[in-house]
Amino acid sequence: MSKKNELFLDDLTIDKDSNVSIGEQLRSGLRQALLAGRITAGSRMPSSRFLSQTLGLGRNTVIDAYDTLISEGYLISYQGKGTFVAETFPAKSASKIQTKPLQLDETPIQISKRAQRMLPLADACLPSTGERVLEPGVPALQAFPLERWHRCQAVANQRAGRTALRMTDPYGSLDLRRMIAAHIGPSRGVACSPDQILLLSGMRQGLHILMRLLLNEGAPVLLENPCLPETRSIVETEGGRPIAIPVTENGADISLLRPEERRAQLAIVTPAHQYPRGFTLAAEQRAALLAWADEQDGYIVEDDYDGEFWISGNAIPTLFSESKNNRVIYLNSFSKSLFPALRISYLVLPPELIRSAMRIRAIFDPHVSVSAQLTLTEFIGSGAYNAHLREMRTLYRERHNVLRHTLQHQMTDRVTIGAQPFGLHLCLELDQRFKDAEIAKEMAAEGFGAQALSRYYFTPSGENINGMVMGYAGWDVPDLLRAAKVFERLCR
């Protein structure tokens, strides 16, 4: 361990006017720091010279204190390496510490009523490691060009120099916003100015901003039923009242709502590839949704989470491209097209909303990681981003076909899989002999991340919902075949 990893013991105090000797004060202070857990096992202690200078003591005083603690078993000295905290303390000393085990499932007694309402919603929003085969929404991280990314990072940081240490434009890097506008114009039909783009540190942040910008307390919000559980949790956390839009094979059908349910001013939808059913919003339903926004003077949030990835045919046009009255807010992220830990998403907003949205975002999070913005700008500008998208479309088509054909061949009498030309996951209907929640639990016990379709519904749909949602993008063919074999065995 290098000297730069030495501990700082700035909290040690020595009272030179005390009746207790300086040496005993130092020994006692070090023992207390060790027993209280302020100095962790295995840490390297400061050199005797450095600590004596820091505390204004004679070096021999520090050496004597170290020698005493070594003899007591608190410290260990390695010749040529330094002095380290022992991995275990003497039992008689450690027994003096009175601790109460931390109960992670205990709810703090003194929390607000608002927190009490929010905590039951938190389970749907907890992050996942994305390590379990078949877990939905996980991209092919093993296929990500990490070396190319690192080169772009080095080039970007060298070019930026010390400006990379500063806060950026409150809307996000203008260069990156220009890159995004130049990309989503031709690829997704989102014709916009960079001045309409607000960079975010996650799609959830975008939803929180929009809820606070556009909703009054208790206002209704139209949500697809089924939808991502975290989307519903965010709406409820922000004081909104979810209203279910029924999802058919033609996507979210707003015409099925009662007149009183239509009296909302915000809808959140996934038109290209409905999450999780996989349906594409049909022309008639698209027109009805846009007409509703005009009639209600409302807004549609278009979550285009995996719109870059189609398995067959051509890309589905966005609602944004069909809106004539600035009624669609486009939301997207680089988490699926690159990697989740990047934490860069963005909103494309009507000009009249962009400044207010930025100001609300600034209250909670003034800017997105500058280093990540610089690297992503270089990555897109170098052509690496488009090259990666093309490679992933080919790879995901292969993985989709393997999983789909394997399940259809092995389980033709137990599963039904409709046409799904998009995305990173497969949604299938399961024979009623098997209950999706039970199968998902059994799959989880064997280390797989397939989800029960029923968990995505937040109100009764009038159907007997029973199916599975399986991610395929993040795993190679042998893993998918192994998962399919386990699934087939559990559904016997």
Side-chain angles (χ1 to χ4, degrees):
M1 184 178 294
S2 65
K3 288 189 176 182
K4 65 181 179 181
N5 292 319
E6 289 179 346
L7 292 170
F8 281 94
L9 299 178
D10 294 350
D11 60 341
L12 287 177
T13 56
I14 301 296
D15 182 1
K16 295 182 180 180
D17 295 326
S18 172
N19 293 328
V20 179
S21 71
I22 290 176
E24 182 55 37
Q25 288 185 58
L26 180 58
R27 291 189 291 272
S28 177
L30 289 171
R31 284 195 202 96
Q32 289 176 12
L34 290 161
L35 293 174
R38 301 201 306 275
I39 302 177
T40 58
S43 298
R44 178 173 179 163
M45 297 294 290
S47 67
S48 58
R49 184 185 304 279
F50 179 82
L51 187 58
S52 64
Q53 292 174 347
T54 301
L55 299 177
L57 305 178
R59 186 181 178 193
N60 287 338
T61 302
V62 176
I63 292 174
D64 289 344
Y66 278 8
D67 287 344
T68 299
L69 293 176
I70 289 171
S71 67
E72 293 175 351
Y74 290 98
L75 303 179
I76 300 175
S77 180
Y78 296 100
Q79 186 173 2
K81 294 183 178 179
T83 302
F84 296 81
V85 179
E87 293 293 339
T88 57
F89 298 149
K92 63 179 182 179
S93 300
S95 64
K96 297 177 183 178
I97 309 174
Q98 301 296 321
T99 61
K100 178 183 177 182
L102 177 64
Q103 301 296 322
L104 296 180
D105 58 347
E106 286 184 357
T107 300
I109 296 174
Q110 296 182 346
I111 62 174
S112 68
K113 291 182 178 179
R114 179 172 58 181
Q116 292 175 26
R117 292 194 303 269
M118 291 172 65
L119 286 177
L121 303 172
D123 287 345
C125 298
L126 294 174
S128 168
T129 60
E131 295 177 348
R132 298 181 302 167
V133 177
L134 296 187
E135 190 165 338
V138 180
L141 300 181
Q142 292 300 321
F144 181 74
L146 193 58
E147 292 184 2
R148 180 72 179 269
W149 178 264
H150 286 158
R151 290 198 299 271
C152 289
Q153 188 175 44
V155 170
N157 287 334
Q158 184 176 21
R159 182 181 296 124
R162 291 185 178 273
T163 59
L165 306 178
R166 301 172 185 162
M167 292 284 197
T168 62
D169 186 315
Y171 295 94
S173 162
L174 179 57
D175 287 341
L176 180 53
R177 288 186 284 125
R178 285 171 174 159
M179 293 279 187
I180 292 172
H183 175 76
I184 60 177
S187 70
R188 302 300 296 130
V190 180
C192 66
S193 161
D195 294 335
Q196 291 177 253
I197 296 175
L198 177 64
L199 297 186
L200 312 166
S201 57
M203 294 183 77
R204 295 183 191 181
Q205 184 187 63
L207 292 178
H208 280 291
I209 291 169
L210 294 174
M211 296 301 105
R212 298 178 188 211
L213 181 66
L214 301 173
L215 284 188
N216 292 317
E217 185 75 23
V221 180
L222 304 186
L223 295 180
E224 296 169 324
N225 188 39
C227 69
L228 270 175
E230 50 261 47
T231 300
R232 178 177 62 85
S233 294
I234 289 170
V235 170
E236 293 187 355
T237 297
E238 294 293 351
R241 180 165 51 88
I243 303 294
I245 310 176
V247 172
T248 70
E249 291 185 355
N250 292 321
D253 194 342
I254 200 169
S255 69
L256 298 177
L257 294 181
R258 299 189 302 271
E260 61 272 20
E261 292 176 323
R262 294 171 60 92
R263 297 188 193 118
Q265 292 185 299
L266 188 64
I268 304 173
V269 294
T270 51
H273 185 230
Q274 200 281 324
Y275 196 94
R277 294 303 299 265
F279 303 131
T280 297
L281 193 62
E284 185 177 347
Q285 281 67 37
R286 296 165 77 89
L289 190 58
L290 291 169
W292 163 84
D294 289 338
E295 293 165 4
Q296 295 297 126
D297 198 24
Y299 290 96
I300 301 166
V301 180
E302 178 176 18
D303 181 351
D304 198 31
Y305 68 100
D306 63 358
E308 299 281 6
F309 302 111
W310 56 90
I311 304 302
S312 61
N314 298 317
I316 304 299
T318 59
L319 273 180
F320 189 99
S321 66
E322 298 178 357
S323 175
K324 306 301 181 185
N325 299 316
N326 283 332
R327 289 297 167 192
V328 178
I329 298 170
Y330 182 82
L331 173 63
N332 209 334
S333 171
F334 292 95
S335 294
K336 299 293 187 291
S337 58
L338 293 178
F339 55 93
L342 180 57
R343 309 301 300 148
I344 296 184
S345 302
Y346 58 94
L347 285 167
V348 181
L349 292 139
E352 64 270 18
L353 295 180
I354 182 69
R355 177 169 171 78
S356 295
M358 177 274 291
R359 289 162 65 87
I360 289 175
R361 201 283 305 273
I363 294 173
F364 304 99
D365 183 9
H367 73 115
V368 180
S369 164
V370 175
S371 177
Q373 290 184 70
L374 290 170
T375 306
L376 181 55
T377 302
E378 180 65 26
F379 193 76
I380 297 174
S382 70
Y385 181 64
N386 283 338
H388 181 62
L389 288 180
R390 288 192 295 269
E391 292 175 5
M392 292 305 98
R393 286 170 188 153
T394 301
L395 181 63
Y396 294 165
R397 183 180 299 112
E398 174 191 350
R399 293 180 175 182
H400 169 273
N401 291 340
V402 166
L403 182 60
R404 181 190 187 93
H405 295 159
T406 300
L407 293 175
Q408 286 179 326
H409 176 72
Q410 295 179 353
M411 306 179 66
T412 184
D413 60 330
R414 286 163 284 176
V415 301
T416 303
I417 307 175
Q420 296 174 39
F422 256 84
L424 308 178
H425 74 271
L426 198 65
C427 185
L428 57 88
E429 295 182 23
L430 189 60
D431 188 277
Q432 296 299 328
R433 290 174 290 169
F434 315 101
K435 300 305 177 186
D436 62 0
E438 295 176 5
I439 296 297
K441 185 176 180 180
E442 292 174 358
M443 291 286 286
E446 300 208 26
F448 297 96
Q451 299 293 309
L453 176 60
S454 56
R455 74 180 287 266
Y456 296 91
Y457 284 80
F458 61 94
T459 64
S461 67
E463 305 174 65
N464 192 358
I465 301 302
N466 193 46
M468 302 298 295
V469 181
M470 298 180 169
Y472 55 78
W475 295 277
D476 58 22
V477 168
D479 282 333
L480 295 176
L481 294 176
R482 178 169 57 89
K485 185 176 182 179
V486 172
F487 179 60
E488 192 273 336
R489 171 169 55 80
L490 294 175
C491 294
R492 288 177 183 168

